[in-house]
Structures are given as structure tokens and as C-alpha cells.
Amino acid sequence: MKKALITGVTGQDGSYLAELLLEKGYSVFGIVRRKSTLDYGNVEHIKDKINFIYADMTDIVSLINAMRISGADEVYNLAAQSFVQTSWEQPVATADIDAIGVTNMLEAVRIVNPKARFYQASTSEMFGLVQEIPQTENTPFYPRSPYGVAKLYGHWITKNYRESYDLYACSGILFNHESERRGKEFVTRKITDAVARIKLGVLDCLELGNMDAKRDWGHSIDYVKAMWLMLQQDVADDYVIATNETRTVRDFVNIAFERAELPIVWEGEGVNETARRKDNGKIVVKVNERYFRPAEVEILLGNAAKAEKKLKWKREISFTELVNRMVDNDLLLVEKEIKNNAK
Ligand code: NDP
Ligand code: GDR
């Protein structure tokens, strides 16, 4: 039985990857951080099937122990301070976890089992300021946030350990991927949660930042399959994983309201842009400058041709299906919350 160690197992991707590896018959080990409350996040429903190890990306001793305890053949390094906005508020912690943390994990692999295969969660945020569209494995990087800068270090140190020590170490340059398990601070889930609340009458208006930002959005379920595929090849390499399509935040909002059967019309532009409900004229979306970033990534559009050809990877969940699934799920969750509050 193969053994896999997942850092960030309680997060969105960690939970779907754990499900995938359990289905494939792996013995799954997951790193969790000690918190004041016992909380398994997104793996609560499969917590009895995962072997949890307490560790932290900033503590190399704990990562060496995690490698020893798990005896992992495959290591998926997904742990990160992953919210771009927070990286301006906590730049040093972000670098400790997302940059130095990668070296800590690579060293733990090198010291305990250099034969173990290593996956690094790299990101399209490394492309940042547009250098080329669409973005491929060869597009120059120009990160635009402390998060992007820290991740770029993680990307290069992974490549460096591959070349220096002949480790089987890969980076997946994944474009945005979302799901019903996405954190509510990210724009997609913030939108679908708000749409559900507006539909069910417990929220008046959704406030957003840059409506023109363009992202290449896929579903996490498709993307964790690519992570696994990268570790099953003859030779370690880096791959872009993307849908080859890009949409604005406004496009996402439109489809989400449509799914909830709340048609809207847009008015104004820039900071004065709003959307009104067609049925009762109420303003349900407005721009709040509070959500603008000190430096923005205006457009991400990936070209996943290399992964499609070499890994035979293909995304299966379309953009509209992604939005619909998230809205449907939030409608159920908010309905349940309202019922519980009424008890
Ligand atoms: P999440 O924010 O949902 O999950 C992050 C995970 O990292 C959580 O399990 C969190 O644990 C853990 N973590 C954070 N800090 C530490 C630490 N110091 N020590 C140990 N664990 C820690 O992220 P996603 O699942 O969305 O993303 C997975 C990875 O992929 C991340 O590295 C992210 O940067 C990267 N990525 C994500 C993309 C996306 O669109 N989702 C695109 C490209 C890359 P806890 O539950 O305790 O907070
Ligand atoms: P991103 O995701 O920064 O791309 O990072 P996020 O959903 O936070 O932002 C996407 C775009 O939407 C714009 N935006 C808003 N964003 C948030 N969070 N809240 C708002 O109210 C809002 N209004 C507009 C943002 O300005 C941005 O342009 C995600 C994370 O998962 C990273 O970890 C990952 O590496 C990248 O995707 C690829």
C-alpha cells in the first residue's frame, strides 16, 4: 500500500486530494496544526480514515518527524497562507510558511527519504503583472503580492532541489480553482454565499472590489487529479494546470444570480458600479474600495497544453457548472443555518 503525506490536508485541495488517494487505496497521512479548538476543517467527514500528525510548516523538526512517522512515498505540499489579501497584512508569516516552509519540507524529504516524490503547490499568482497571454510554463514571472513573491521562492527552491539532489520534485502551476469547500474570503465563495443569503432574505447587498479582474477558474476536484498525475510520471517536471478560459468577477456574479433565479441589471461604472434586482429594483451588488488590493493581478489565462498532452489531464467541470454547484450548495447551507437559528 502506497503512503502519502499531505500538508494542508484540512484545506480545500487537501480534502479532495485525500479523498482521491483514499479511493486509490493509499494510506493517507495529513499534517494538522495545533489549535485551541479541535477542528479538522474540510476533512471532518473522513477524519477516521486519515492518520493525522501534528506539525507546522515553520517547524522543520515537526516535518522531519512527519516524514519518519508516515514513511511517505509521496509528499503533497499544499499547506500555505493562501489568501493574497492577507499577505499584505502578514507578509513575514506568509514568507515563513509559503517560502521557507517549502525548504523545510524539502529538507525533511531529503534527510528522511530522498526517494519520496514531492509535489509543490505553485500558483498562477507568480505570473502577476501581464508578460504574456495565455500563460504557459515558459512565461516570465512578475509576482504582485507578498504571497506571489513567497510562492515564487517555493517554486524555484523545488526546482533547485530537483537539480541539486536529483529529488523527484514537481511544481504544479495551478490557476484559480474553487469548490463548495472554498474559504468564504475568496471572491467566488463570497459571491455564492451572498447570493444564497440575498435569495433567502437574510442579506441585502454584496460588496466587492475589482469587478474587472479576470481569472481562469476551474474546480478543485479536477485539479487534485493533476497533482497525483504529476507524481506518477517517469521524469519530474513542472506543469501549468488551467481551463484555457478567462472570466471577470462580474461574469461570475451574473451566473451566480442567474442560478438563484434572481435576474440583475448593471448600472454605473468603476467605484459607482452597482447591480439591481430586476424584480424589485433593490441594489444587491456594489463596489467598496476597501476590497481593492495595493497591487492587482488584472488577468490570468492559462494554457494547459503540456499537461493535457503529457499527463493526459483534462478538466471536466465547466465554469457554469462550477458556479451552479457552489450556488446550490450555499443555498442548502444557508437554509440549514436559518432553520437552526430559528430553533
Ligand atoms: P486553503 O487555504 O484552503 O488550505 C491551506 C491549508 O494550509 C490549510 O489546511 C491550512 O491549515 C494549512 N496551513 C496554513 N498554514 C500552515 C502552517 N504554518 N503549517 C501547516 N499547515 C498550514 O488552500 P487551498 O486548498 O485552496 O490551496 C492549496 C495550496 O495550493 C496552497 O498552497 C495554495 O497557496 C495553492 N494554490 C491554490 C490555488 C487555488 O486556487 N485554490 C491555486 C494555486 C495554488 P488550517 O486548516 O490549520 O488553517
Ligand atoms: P486570488 O483569489 O487572489 O486570485 O488568489 P481571490 O478569490 O481572493 O481574488 C480573485 C480576484 O477577485 C478580485 N476581487 C475580490 N477578491 C476578494 N477576495 N474579495 C472581494 O470582495 C473581491 N472583489 C474583487 C480580487 O481583487 C482578485 O483579482 C487565489 C488563491 O487561491 C491563491 O492561493 C491562489 O494561488 C490563486 O488564487 C491562484
Side-chain angles (χ1 to χ4, degrees):
M1 186 189 263
K2 269 197 187 172
K3 288 177 281 239
L5 175 65
I6 305 175
T7 75
V9 75
T10 54
Q12 170 187 260
D13 291 3
S15 67
Y16 286 118
L17 179 65
E19 285 173 6
L20 178 77
L21 297 179
L22 286 168
E23 266 169 38
K24 291 188 182 293
Y26 279 68
S27 172
V28 175
F29 293 78
I31 280 177
V32 283
R33 297 193 276 181
R34 196 267 154 190
K35 288 185 205 144
S36 60
T37 50
L38 204 56
D39 172 12
Y40 292 103
N42 287 307
V43 285
E44 184 65 40
H45 63 297
I46 44 168
K47 65 173 188 275
D48 298 338
K49 298 184 180 139
I50 297 173
N51 305 289
F52 292 104
I53 302 171
Y54 281 92
D56 195 291
M57 296 310 294
T58 60
D59 181 347
I60 189 172
V61 173
S62 70
L63 299 177
I64 290 173
N65 279 333
M67 280 302 292
R68 289 208 176 116
I69 294 166
S70 63
D73 309 293
E74 293 177 11
V75 177
Y76 295 87
N77 187 34
L78 310 186
Q81 188 304 93
S82 74
F83 189 41
V84 172
Q85 182 69 55
T86 295
S87 75
W88 278 283
E89 288 142 21
Q90 299 179 16
V92 178
T94 302
D96 282 344
I97 302 165
D98 299 9
I100 302 302
V102 185
T103 309
N104 288 339
M105 194 67 243
L106 283 163
E107 275 297 315
V109 168
R110 194 174 74 86
I111 291 166
V112 179
N113 178 14
K115 295 257 171 292
R117 295 187 165 204
F118 179 85
Y119 173 85
Q120 169 58 17
S122 285
T123 164
S124 52
E125 277 295 299
M126 301 186 307
F127 294 125
L129 192 71
V130 179
Q131 307 294 303
E132 182 181 45
I133 292 287
Q135 290 123 352
T136 72
E137 294 78 5
N138 301 318
T139 301
F141 298 118
Y142 194 133
R144 291 274 279 171
S145 63
Y147 168 82
V149 174
K151 279 285 184 177
L152 188 51
Y153 172 98
H155 183 74
W156 279 109
I157 200 73
T158 301
K159 202 177 173 78
N160 179 261
Y161 270 52
R162 177 165 80 218
E163 293 170 2
S164 305
Y165 302 115
D166 202 23
L167 294 187
Y168 187 107
C170 306
S171 284
I173 307 174
L174 271 50
F175 282 62
N176 297 53
H177 48 280
E178 318 293 313
S179 74
E180 298 86 322
R181 297 180 192 167
R182 187 59 142 155
K184 287 186 187 168
E185 65 275 40
F186 299 95
V187 75
T188 56
R189 186 77 195 284
K190 181 176 169 182
I191 294 167
T192 60
D193 176 67
V195 165
R197 287 174 196 281
I198 292 167
K199 173 78 181 180
L200 297 169
V202 289
L203 180 75
D204 292 330
C205 186
L206 161 66
E207 293 192 354
L208 293 170
N210 182 5
M211 309 287 284
D212 294 312
K214 288 182 152 181
R215 289 291 181 275
D216 180 328
W217 276 300
H219 196 294
S220 174
I221 286 182
D222 284 339
Y223 286 46
V224 299
K225 289 179 191 156
M227 297 176 187
W228 177 77
L229 283 169
M230 280 181 223
L231 296 201
Q232 314 310 314
Q233 306 304 306
D234 293 336
V235 180
D237 204 349
D238 303 330
Y239 297 88
V240 159
I241 302 296
T243 69
N244 315 318
E245 292 170 13
T246 192
R247 318 272 173 153
T248 61
V249 170
R250 194 180 299 100
D251 293 334
F252 196 105
V253 171
N254 275 328
I255 297 184
F257 274 97
E258 235 171 79
R259 180 63 173 186
E261 295 175 339
L262 289 178
I264 51 173
V265 278
W266 294 91
E267 290 166 1
E269 52 185 59
V271 290
N272 296 318
E273 184 168 6
T274 56
R276 279 182 199 281
R277 272 173 73 161
K278 272 191 188 159
D279 56 353
N280 62 16
K282 283 189 182 158
I283 291 184
V284 281
V285 184
K286 63 180 174 200
V287 174
N288 185 334
E289 285 178 76
R290 185 180 150 214
Y291 298 110
F292 288 177
R293 295 181 173 176
E296 178 63 288
V297 173
E298 294 296 347
I299 175 165
L300 290 174
L301 170 60
N303 174 349
K306 178 176 169 185
E308 286 160 5
K309 185 161 177 238
K310 294 204 172 164
L311 303 178
K312 311 261 177 297
W313 175 81
K314 201 162 92 338
R315 78 89 185 241
E316 272 154 31
I317 301 173
S318 72
F319 177 69
T320 304
E321 197 184 339
L322 165 72
V323 183
N324 291 349
R325 282 169 77 142
M326 291 177 71
V327 170
D328 294 354
N329 179 63
D330 277 327
L331 281 166
L332 290 177
L333 290 181
V334 174
E335 201 176 357
K336 213 157 121 192
E337 184 190 302
I338 295 169
K339 275 192 193 141
N340 283 341
N341 289 344
K343 273 186 197 157

